[in-house]
Amino acid sequence: DAEITQSPRHKITETGRQVTLACHQTWNHNNMFWYRQDLGHGLRLIHYSYGVQDTNKGEVSDGYSVSRSNTEDLPLTLESAASSQTSVYFCASSEVRGGIDEQFFGPGTRLTVL
Amino acid sequence: QKEVEQNSGPLSVPEGAIASLNCTYSDRGSQSFFWYRQYSGKSPELIMFIYSNGDKEDGRFTAQLNKASQYVSLLIRDSQPSDSATYLCAVNAGNNRKLIWGLGTSLAVNP
């Protein structure tokens, strides 16, 4: 069955370290998204991609970067982790079907920055 | 600033009752509307979408859309304790494939 996976599921790191969160989907979707979810803020878009070599900034992109070298993967890199980046991170992918663009989510990565 | 607003709750209903969840949005150009369910510690999962004015039914779930009032709702009939979760409303403003998310409404169904 097609799916979307994230790794690691839990990560503890220290301030200033570079961290990469992996996202892999086997839906063959062109669109991929990274969100963070924090209490009181809901889901906030970090970066997104509409296809290979395409990346775009979302509403909270500072301190994060992504690259899209193939259809299946969109890794999220925290260049220099900060305590404010402690959060739950969700990857999602989507494809337009019948005029509707449904997003499907991975299981999430809980990141703690000490 | 495009916004999607939901009552945070918690909304508490007895088992077997109808739960009514509401969502308003600011962008009149919005074209498709989604309801996601999120259990504690889990990722959001899509339960329904709607893009035409009126009602759309799927099992115990009914989505209602009123574009003139910029209002979308989700009704859950015969509520079960397993329906206890946070329900997220998301809105897609047309060609833009991004979703604008509400903060979610927490629903508790009491046995």
Side-chain angles (χ1 to χ4, degrees):
Chain A
D1 284 345
E3 61 177 355
I4 180 166
T5 57
Q6 294 183 235
S7 62
R9 295 294 311 279
H10 301 272
K11 175 77 175 178
I12 300 174
T13 191
E14 295 178 342
T15 301
R17 290 190 179 266
Q18 184 180 80
V19 177
T20 296
L21 309 182
C23 175
H24 179 80
Q25 53 99 2
T26 58
W27 294 97
N28 202 33
H29 287 167
N30 282 322
N31 309 325
M32 295 185 73
F33 307 83
W34 272 105
Y35 294 94
R36 60 178 290 176
Q37 188 174 40
D38 306 282
L39 202 61
H41 290 279
L43 283 164
R44 292 184 289 176
L45 185 63
I46 305 171
H47 282 286
Y48 57 101
S49 168
Y50 291 153
V52 176
Q53 302 300 332
D54 175 74
T55 61
N56 305 278
K57 294 181 179 181
E59 61 181 304
V60 290
S61 61
D62 287 349
Y64 303 94
S65 63
V66 293
S67 61
R68 187 90 181 270
S69 58
N70 58 52
T71 300
E72 295 80 18
D73 299 290
L74 187 69
L76 177 71
T77 297
L78 286 68
E79 305 292 345
S80 177
S83 58
S84 60
Q85 295 176 309
T86 292
S87 186
V88 178
Y89 291 84
F90 290 106
C91 179
S93 70
S94 77
E95 197 69 51
V96 177
R97 292 195 179 98
I100 298 294
D101 200 7
E102 304 175 37
Q103 289 189 18
F104 297 91
F105 282 77
T109 294
R110 183 173 295 275
L111 176 68
T112 302
V113 183
L114 301 176
Chain B
Q1 180 81 0
K2 299 174 183 177
E3 294 183 342
V4 174
E5 307 242 353
Q6 299 180 252
N7 289 327
S8 62
L11 174 65
S12 183
V13 300
E15 184 174 355
I18 295 175
S20 178
L21 305 162
N22 304 314
C23 173
T24 59
Y25 58 95
S26 62
D27 184 2
R28 285 197 171 274
S30 300
Q31 295 191 3
S32 50
F33 308 85
F34 301 82
W35 283 100
Y36 283 77
R37 177 177 61 201
Q38 187 174 25
Y39 292 113
S40 181
K42 301 296 185 182
S43 58
E45 59 176 323
L46 179 66
I47 52 175
M48 286 198 75
F49 66 83
I50 187 168
Y51 53 87
S52 298
N53 273 329
D55 295 0
K56 178 182 178 182
E57 188 174 317
D58 184 1
R60 295 187 296 113
F61 299 95
T62 299
Q64 300 175 317
L65 176 61
N66 184 325
K67 289 186 178 181
S69 301
Q70 296 176 238
Y71 174 95
V72 58
S73 66
L74 179 70
L75 301 179
I76 306 174
R77 291 183 300 281
D78 188 24
S79 295
Q80 301 297 309
S82 58
D83 295 324
S84 298
T86 296
Y87 288 80
L88 304 173
C89 174
V91 174
N92 184 310
N95 291 333
N96 186 331
R97 284 157 278 185
K98 295 184 291 183
L99 294 178
I100 309 299
W101 295 86
L103 296 184
T105 298
S106 175
L107 172 66
V109 180
N110 305 308

